[in-house]
């Protein structure tokens, strides 16, 4: 599978699950496998693994990621940012600061 396609699909699924976590709490983390089975039964192994790494990484660094978002949001408290926007930002911050497999461009 094309690298960009599986990562795009993984980010979409991660966004859906992180949004649910935002609304229902981190206690639903244990439901990730069920979520993936129900909402993406045909997803590739690469997609599933990437979703798991994003969600796990966001959970492990939840407070740090929230702090990075808060400190960069001028005149906006985290509580004012919509749940979907926070979920998108969490994925972006996680991938940018914590994802080892995504290295910055080297000249």
């Amino acid at each position: 599978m094309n690298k960009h396609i599986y990562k795009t699909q993984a980010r979409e699924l991660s966004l859906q699950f992180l949004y649910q976590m935002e609304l229902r709490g981190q206690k639903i983390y244990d439901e990730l496998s069920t979520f993936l089975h129900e909402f993406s039964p045909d997803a590739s192994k690469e997609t599933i693994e990437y979703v798991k790494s994003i969600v796990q990484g966001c959970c492990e660094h939840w407070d740090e990621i929230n702090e990075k978002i808060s400190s960069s949001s001028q005149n906006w408290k985290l509580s004012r940012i919509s749940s979907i926007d926070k979920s998108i930002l969490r994925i972006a911050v996680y991938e940018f600061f914590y994802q080892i497999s995504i290295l910055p461009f080297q000249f």
Side-chain angles (χ1 to χ4, degrees), residues 33-93:
S33 293
T34 303
F35 168 84
L36 291 170
H37 181 72
E38 288 182 24
F39 291 97
S40 60
D42 299 329
S44 69
K45 179 180 177 184
E46 292 90 356
T47 300
I48 298 300
E49 291 304 313
Y50 201 61
V51 170
K52 289 179 179 180
S53 76
I54 290 172
V55 172
Q56 180 180 1
C58 285
C59 288
E60 288 175 1
H61 301 284
W62 194 267
D63 293 333
E64 296 166 44
I65 289 170
N66 285 345
E67 180 56 37
K68 289 181 187 309
I69 294 168
S70 293
S71 66
S72 299
S73 305
Q74 295 179 354
N75 301 319
W76 281 83
K77 292 183 179 182
L78 194 61
S79 61
R80 287 188 60 204
I81 300 173
S82 74
S83 295
I84 195 74
D85 290 343
K86 279 189 271 192
S87 299
I88 292 167
L89 288 168
R90 284 183 181 119
I91 292 169
V93 169

Side-chain angles (χ1 to χ4, degrees), residues 1-14:
M1 173 179 273
N2 183 316
K3 180 179 179 179
H4 298 292
I5 292 173
Y6 89 79
K7 285 190 173 187
T8 298
Q9 184 182 18
R11 288 181 183 116
E12 290 171 1
L13 290 165
S14 298

